[in-house]
Amino acid sequence: MQAAQLGLEPGLIGHCYIIPYGNQAQFIIGYKGMIDLARRSGQIENIYAHTVHENDEFEYELGLHPKLTHKPATGERGEMTFVYAVAHFKDGGYQFEVMSKADIEKRRKRSKAANNGPWVTDYEEMAKKTVIRHMWKYLPISIEIQQQAMQ
């Protein structure tokens, strides 16, 4: 029902999933669904997430003049160290969030599926979803859609 209300399709596209937990089915919005809902606001031009690895060049600053620079290494990139998400607004502004691997791990450990499923098979994709989900609350999306999607 929630998927239909939000206009998201469960399945291979990755908008949302119906995941069995015990004897119940739980609606989970995927990060691609979050991106789709954010774009529907009409205020977002682009939104994406990337992982940073120990051999990459990576620098970010917060404060009055935030900036983010990421140059992926060629060849062996090493272990993942950070993950970030960026939203570019149509008015030229942007929003970004950066999370360390330790921050991602704290959130993974709170998950019902911390030690199986996509956290085991697709860790980096789950890390990207986590940082997008964290940034999502700051994006221009109607309160009703946010409340529906975050249940």
Side-chain angles (χ1 to χ4, degrees), residues 16-125:
C16 61
Y17 305 92
I18 311 299
I19 307 292
Y21 285 112
N23 62 352
Q24 295 182 14
Q26 184 169 350
F27 171 75
I28 303 287
I29 187 168
Y31 80 89
K32 291 179 182 177
M34 291 178 181
I35 290 170
D36 184 53
L37 290 172
R39 283 187 175 145
R40 287 187 211 168
S41 74
Q43 297 178 48
I44 293 180
E45 185 174 298
N46 196 12
I47 185 169
Y48 53 86
H50 291 290
T51 56
V52 178
H53 297 259
E54 59 192 355
N55 296 332
D56 295 353
E57 289 181 42
F58 182 67
E59 190 177 333
Y60 75 99
E61 292 180 21
L62 302 176
L64 293 176
H65 303 286
K67 80 174 202 178
L68 184 140
T69 305
H70 178 208
K71 294 180 182 176
T74 56
E76 179 56 41
R77 294 180 63 200
E79 291 291 318
M80 186 187 96
T81 55
F82 291 92
V83 61
Y84 65 92
V86 179
H88 293 272
F89 301 111
K90 288 188 176 178
D91 69 1
Y94 61 89
Q95 171 75 38
F96 72 82
E97 290 292 326
V98 177
M99 297 178 83
S100 68
K101 186 171 182 181
D103 292 332
I104 296 294
E105 277 298 298
K106 286 178 193 173
R107 285 162 174 80
R108 181 192 65 82
K109 289 177 182 175
R110 292 194 308 249
S111 170
K112 294 176 186 176
N115 298 312
N116 57 50
W119 277 112
V120 174
T121 60
D122 299 291
Y123 185 88
E124 289 190 12
E125 293 303 309

